Amino acid sequence: MREKILVLDFGGQYNQLIARRVRDLCVYAEIKSFKTPIAEIKEQNYKGIIFTGGPNSVYDPKSPSYDPEILNLGVPVLGICYGAQLMAHLAGGKVNANAGASEYGKIELHKKGGLLLKGFPENSVCWMSHRDYIENVPHGFEVTAVTADCPCAAMENREKRLFAVQFHPEVNHTEYGTEIFKSFLFDVCGCKGDWIMSDFVEESIKNYREMLGDKKVLCALSGGVDSSVCAALMSKAIGKNLTCIFVDHGLMRKNEGDMVEKEFASAFDFNLIRVNCESRFLSKLSGVSDPERKRKIIGEEFIRVFEEESKKLGRMDYLMQGTIYPDVIESGTGDAAVIKSHHNVGGLPENVDFDGIIEPLRNLFKDEVRKVGLELGVPEFLVYRQPFPGPGLAVRCLGEITNDKLEILRNADAIFREEIAAAGLDKSINQYFAVITDTKSVGVMGDSRTYDHLIALRAVTTDDFMTCDWAKIPFEVLAKASSRITNEVKGVNRVVYDITQKPPATVEWE
């Protein structure tokens, strides 16, 4: 049985990041709500448990809490931020809810000892985000770190294998955060680190081959990372019993539809049906400028096309979706806010009868999906494909969508992506693209006055897309992209660069 760590979610904003840090060290971690019964936790034989942070105070009756018995299971526990305060509270310590000085951001940490902080120097920088603090540690605990304003920045009860830190070791701003996870996972929990993507691929192929036999599977292939890796994995398991429908709605980037079809047709052994329906989608979108209406029209029309093509195939046993772990988490864990409800196909076709839904990547984060793709031989340009919205270029074409505007956008976007790649920035910038605005401006070309489109360029850096910073692209790269776009793309006479963070902006313009 694979070793695993439980990340018990108390509403913290970094719960996914904690699980990712654990998995980066080749130990499988899964996130569950604080409402998970203790009996269920006992049954799972976790090697360790991590309490996440959260925005609450342990003394608030409405705050998430847990059965104190969890500290007596004999399973190592690491509490982080609110999780540290909760551990102190459950174990009989005192948390002060009226701190004289709150700590937010980068704070200097002073180590006093302890097993968990053994890789830390005497002084280092950590990331704090708290108002309450642990005033008195529980019996059997010792304080292992302090700050100028926090009398207990870390504590531990080595005998009971209970550890807590008031700061956030999962964020990059904590200098030695990875060392904490290494100490907890390997020195305390005794993990070996057996979460390896090559093993996951091999096990998945074997299991699906045995489970499905001669059953037929249907997949909606978008050409995005998740659906591409799904298709590649299932192809290895069942070959021609997999049929992928690639709906080309005419809202993809330059030459993208042809590239997707060519790469998958040559590299993998499954049935691929490409449905070219650009005119159908553009007809439905004619005269529509409201972004929400665009999204709804595209989503509904996609389902209608998928429905029609599915019916032609006859009986299909299973529907496969590219759901990944953040989709599951963001759809709600316990009392955590639902960020968005996910359904990768947008709604099941009503006239197709499936025995069930298959989600091969359901337990993987995006970076793990990419690793699986490389293991399967999916081409790098697809594995590292930029995140792309479901409605495609429709949400990067502001105002009414027309063939002319889409052609301008595709060409401008292609040039920007070429220049980013030529500058060697394509792996360090998390997302970059062009937007054709609904604005025209006066310009001069040669001796003539022009009144043409304005193109906006957008590029962001981020760890998780919950927050983003605008990418600090060298001016000479931006200048070259702008010069090429205005010279090579007919109908454009002005280029601007978006330097807005998220928040207040979003990544996409619509």
Side-chain angles (χ1 to χ4, degrees):
M1 180 182 291
R2 178 180 290 120
E3 60 189 15
K4 56 186 177 181
I5 297 292
L6 170 64
V7 177
L8 202 58
D9 180 16
F10 290 96
Q13 61 177 317
Y14 298 130
N15 56 6
Q16 289 190 44
L17 192 53
I18 292 170
R20 284 180 58 196
R21 293 290 179 255
V22 173
R23 292 193 189 186
D24 284 345
L25 295 170
C26 299
V27 178
Y28 183 74
E30 60 187 17
I31 301 171
K32 290 193 174 181
S33 164
F34 71 92
K35 291 188 173 183
T36 304
I38 195 166
E40 183 179 323
I41 291 176
K42 289 179 181 178
E43 291 171 0
Q44 293 298 313
N45 295 314
Y46 291 108
K47 297 283 286 186
I49 299 169
I50 299 176
F51 292 173
T52 74
N56 306 92
S57 172
V58 295
Y59 293 117
D60 186 340
K62 296 180 181 179
S63 294
S65 188
Y66 206 78
D67 186 339
E69 185 60 25
I70 195 169
L71 302 181
N72 298 316
L73 296 180
V75 178
V77 181
L78 169 62
I80 295 175
C81 195
Y82 175 83
Q85 296 168 12
L86 181 63
M87 179 184 290
H89 181 59
L90 296 177
K94 181 181 178 182
V95 176
N96 190 324
N98 298 295
S102 303
E103 290 181 312
Y104 295 98
K106 292 182 179 180
I107 302 292
E108 186 169 328
L109 182 77
H110 307 290
K111 184 181 82 167
K112 300 182 69 175
L115 174 62
L116 202 65
L117 305 184
K118 69 173 187 178
F120 277 52
E122 184 177 344
N123 297 308
S124 63
V125 171
C126 68
W127 186 262
M128 287 284 195
S129 179
H130 73 101
R131 181 177 296 276
D132 297 5
Y133 68 94
I134 299 168
E135 186 173 35
N136 296 323
V137 300
H139 177 72
F141 282 76
E142 65 171 315
V143 174
T144 57
V146 299
T147 72
D149 294 305
C150 184
C152 179
M155 68 177 187
E156 62 185 56
N157 182 328
R158 197 177 303 190
E159 182 182 350
K160 297 187 71 173
R161 297 191 296 173
L162 303 176
F163 302 82
V165 292
Q166 182 60 66
F167 53 91
H168 288 275
E170 69 274 20
V171 302
N172 291 331
H173 305 296
T174 296
E175 287 182 317
Y176 294 88
T178 299
E179 302 306 315
I180 283 186
F181 288 112
K182 284 181 179 177
S183 295
F184 182 68
L185 296 174
F186 302 115
D187 298 337
V188 176
C189 300
C191 293
K192 299 182 180 66
D194 62 1
W195 176 241
I196 301 169
M197 285 302 102
S198 57
D199 291 344
F200 172 84
V201 171
E202 188 177 321
E203 290 171 13
S204 296
I205 291 171
K206 178 177 178 290
N207 291 340
Y208 280 115
R209 187 174 288 150
E210 292 175 356
M211 181 184 90
L212 295 172
D214 292 329
K215 300 286 187 180
K216 297 187 181 299
V217 176
L218 182 66
C219 172
L221 178 66
S222 68
V225 178
D226 304 333
S227 68
S228 296
V229 173
C230 255
L233 180 66
M234 199 56 61
S235 169
K236 298 285 188 182
I238 64 173
K240 290 292 187 183
N241 283 328
L242 170 66
T243 298
C244 292
I245 297 177
F246 173 37
V247 178
D248 188 345
H249 46 32
L251 299 167
M252 302 186 75
R253 289 169 288 202
K254 189 172 183 177
N255 301 324
E256 202 159 31
D258 293 339
M259 269 194 305
V260 169
E261 182 179 28
K262 177 184 175 183
E263 292 293 339
F264 278 97
S266 61
F268 298 101
D269 182 33
F270 59 76
N271 301 308
L272 177 60
I273 298 171
R274 178 177 178 178
V275 188
N276 293 310
C277 43
E278 178 178 9
S279 59
R280 173 172 175 169
F281 275 79
L282 292 186
S283 174
K284 292 283 185 180
L285 291 165
S286 177
V288 177
S289 58
D290 179 73
E292 279 308 303
R293 280 197 63 206
K294 289 180 189 177
R295 289 177 182 274
K296 289 177 180 177
I297 289 169
I298 293 166
E300 182 177 348
E301 202 60 24
F302 178 89
I303 291 303
R304 299 286 81 82
V305 175
F306 190 75
E307 235 174 33
E308 293 163 13
E309 295 300 320
S310 301
K311 190 162 64 172
K312 297 175 186 176
L313 296 171
R315 169 69 179 174
M316 302 297 288
D317 299 292
Y318 291 93
L319 176 71
M320 182 169 69
Q321 296 189 156
T323 307
I324 64 174
Y325 201 38
D327 298 342
V328 177
I329 297 166
E330 288 175 359
S331 291
T333 55
D335 280 357
V338 176
I339 298 170
K340 49 188 172 181
S341 297
H342 288 265
H343 200 300
N344 285 28
V345 179
L348 296 181
E350 295 178 2
N351 58 347
V352 180
D353 181 22
F354 296 105
D355 291 339
I357 297 173
I358 298 172
E359 297 173 319
L361 310 178
R362 182 180 176 84
N363 294 321
L364 302 185
F365 287 105
K366 180 71 80 174
D367 54 336
E368 293 172 324
V369 172
R370 296 189 198 280
K371 290 176 185 176
V372 169
L374 294 175
E375 288 284 343
L376 290 165
V378 177
E380 276 203 19
F381 88 87
L382 283 174
V383 170
Y384 291 106
R385 185 176 187 256
Q386 291 285 302
F388 195 53
L393 296 181
V395 294
R396 295 177 183 172
C397 181
L398 308 191
E400 183 179 359
I401 298 170
T402 65
N403 275 313
D404 288 345
K405 286 172 70 176
L406 286 173
E407 188 64 16
I408 291 171
L409 176 56
R410 284 193 188 95
N411 290 327
D413 182 75
I415 289 171
F416 186 41
R417 288 188 288 122
E418 285 170 11
E419 292 304 323
I420 291 292
L425 301 172
D426 51 322
K427 295 293 175 60
S428 59
I429 300 177
N430 300 98
Q431 193 169 357
Y432 49 94
F433 54 88
V435 174
I436 184 166
T437 70
D438 201 21
T439 298
K440 287 188 174 184
S441 69
V442 173
V444 177
M445 288 190 175
D447 294 322
S448 302
R449 175 187 183 276
T450 61
Y451 188 62
D452 284 329
H453 290 283
L454 175 123
I455 290 288
L457 304 179
R458 177 78 159 143
V460 298
T461 57
T462 178
D463 282 334
D464 51 22
F465 283 96
M466 291 191 294
T467 60
C468 298
D469 194 8
W470 57 278
K472 310 305 188 286
I473 298 173
F475 288 150
E476 57 268 24
V477 178
L478 291 172
K480 188 173 181 183
S482 174
S483 177
R484 284 192 60 197
I485 290 170
T486 52
N487 280 281
E488 298 175 30
V489 183
K490 186 178 180 181
V492 177
N493 67 2
R494 193 179 297 269
V495 176
V496 298
Y497 184 51
D498 183 346
I499 59 169
T500 320
Q501 295 175 323
K502 174 187 177 181
T506 57
V507 176
E508 299 290 343
W509 277 42
E510 285 192 343

